[in-house]
Amino acid sequence: MNPLTSIKGTIASGFVLALLVAFYLSPENSSLIGRNLSVWLHALFGVTWIGLLYYFNFVQVPAMGEALADEGGPGPAAIGKYIAPKALLWFRMSAAATWLTGAWAIEMKYGFMDAFLFNTAGGVGDIIGLGAWLGSIMLFNVWVLIWPNQKKILGIVEAGAEEVAKAKFTAAMASRTNVVLSVPMLLCMIGSGHSSYLF
């Protein structure tokens, strides 16, 4: 049985391979627990979240606009009916998982509230605190602005034409705001883990 024939098998294979690599590369007296696990999962979920954010903004939304403008083409129905709901599910769940694993990782190294309130005596703790704030704003945008409005756009929730037009604008602006915030957020995230190259 080939695990690559299903998405679950593919994901499970990636996790098994990562664990084998971690145990092979880890010193004999350490294991993949605690902070290392939280940072690894945070990065994994973060890649999924930001990858989907960029996909929506750079690929799907422009493609749907082109599909709407193409009078003789297939239209955007397939994207809206089959692709967008599934992509938005992964988007929402990876956003939540990224934030939760990030909070876990911060708690173990700096104390979550200390980092979040910039009470870490400056340096790397403040950089990660700023990254946590940016990520929290982005999470808010996903769950409070983007998803409720996408439900109207996709017809999951009934809405009139005027409501859908307003929902499109609100979701687009929140999503574009997240693209803007993702750039300094990633700078903070990478900076905190690579010997504070920002100083």
Side-chain angles (χ1 to χ4, degrees):
M1 178 191 320
N2 182 348
L4 302 180
T5 58
S6 76
I7 192 65
K8 288 179 184 176
T10 302
I11 292 170
S13 296
F15 274 90
V16 168
L17 183 58
L19 290 171
L20 290 173
V21 168
F23 286 118
Y24 177 76
L25 295 178
S26 294
E28 288 179 18
N29 61 352
S30 69
S31 60
L32 188 65
I33 58 171
R35 178 146 171 78
N36 291 339
L37 178 62
S38 68
V39 170
W40 172 56
L41 289 173
H42 180 62
L44 183 65
F45 294 133
V47 166
T48 305
W49 179 17
I50 301 304
L52 284 165
L53 173 68
Y54 293 168
Y55 160 76
F56 285 128
N57 281 276
F58 305 148
V59 179
Q60 183 174 300
V61 170
M64 287 186 83
E66 290 172 19
L68 278 168
D70 184 2
E71 292 180 25
I79 296 172
K81 184 175 180 180
Y82 298 104
I83 297 170
K86 192 170 284 191
L88 283 163
L89 174 65
W90 279 85
F91 181 64
R92 295 188 320 276
M93 294 305 122
S94 61
T98 300
W99 194 92
L100 290 169
T101 54
W104 177 27
I106 291 170
E107 175 61 31
M108 286 193 286
K109 182 146 187 183
Y110 306 104
F112 180 77
M113 288 309 295
D114 284 337
F116 210 69
L117 298 174
F118 304 106
N119 290 332
T120 60
V124 177
D126 283 352
I127 291 172
I128 202 65
L130 177 58
W133 269 104
L134 295 171
S136 296
I137 294 165
M138 292 170 65
L139 180 72
F140 175 88
N141 287 345
V142 167
W143 283 93
V144 177
L145 299 174
I146 296 170
W147 175 234
N149 284 292
Q150 282 293 341
K151 288 193 284 187
K152 293 175 186 174
I153 295 165
L154 297 172
I156 297 169
V157 169
E158 244 182 81
E162 194 173 305
E163 260 189 301
V164 170
K166 186 178 175 187
K168 283 181 180 181
F169 181 78
T170 302
M173 290 302 100
S175 189
R176 294 282 168 87
T177 298
N178 277 6
V179 170
V180 170
L181 295 179
S182 74
V183 178
M185 185 270 304
L186 289 168
L187 181 75
C188 292
M189 185 177 166
I190 302 296
S192 70
H194 285 81
S195 302
S196 187
Y197 72 79
L198 294 176
F199 290 105

